[in-house]
Amino acid sequence: MEDLLLTLAVPAVVLAGGVYAVCDCRRQRRRPPSPYTRRAAELAARDAVDRAVTVVEDAYTALGGLYADPATPYPAGPAAVSGGTGSSPDHDPSRPAPVRRP
């Protein structure tokens, strides 16, 4: 009996959710949101953008010294790369990988 009630409860919940969605949609069509709500949303979005711009500008001001100045020329010639502690000592090419068969 409990399985039957659980089986019938799932479609009932889905049906109730659908009825609620339809009623909510019809209610919103009859009463569109007030212009004050729309204006408040626009002001909140503009305020969020202004805050983001402020955060980015503050971060650039604090970390601007880490970026290279575009007016300074790059050093001439290729830079020498030295081997690290994990590099192999020999300069021979590595052996080829084994051939895979299908």
Side-chain angles (χ1 to χ4, degrees):
M1 183 69 174
E2 292 176 9
D3 293 337
L4 179 64
L5 290 176
L6 182 62
T7 305
L8 293 176
V10 172
V13 169
V14 171
L15 179 67
V19 169
Y20 176 78
V22 167
C23 292
D24 189 43
C25 183
R26 291 184 74 194
R27 181 189 59 84
Q28 287 182 357
R29 284 185 184 174
R30 287 184 188 157
R31 274 188 303 156
S34 70
Y36 298 111
T37 305
R38 210 172 291 136
R39 180 71 178 149
E42 290 172 1
L43 290 174
R46 187 174 301 149
D47 185 44
V49 169
D50 290 341
R51 285 183 186 179
V53 167
T54 303
V55 167
V56 170
E57 288 176 350
D58 290 344
Y60 186 77
T61 302
L63 303 173
L66 298 176
Y67 298 105
D69 185 18
T72 58
Y74 289 107
V81 177
S82 62
T85 58
S87 64
S88 61
D90 61 350
H91 299 289
D92 297 331
S94 61
R95 61 185 184 136
V99 177
R100 288 189 174 182
R101 295 184 182 165

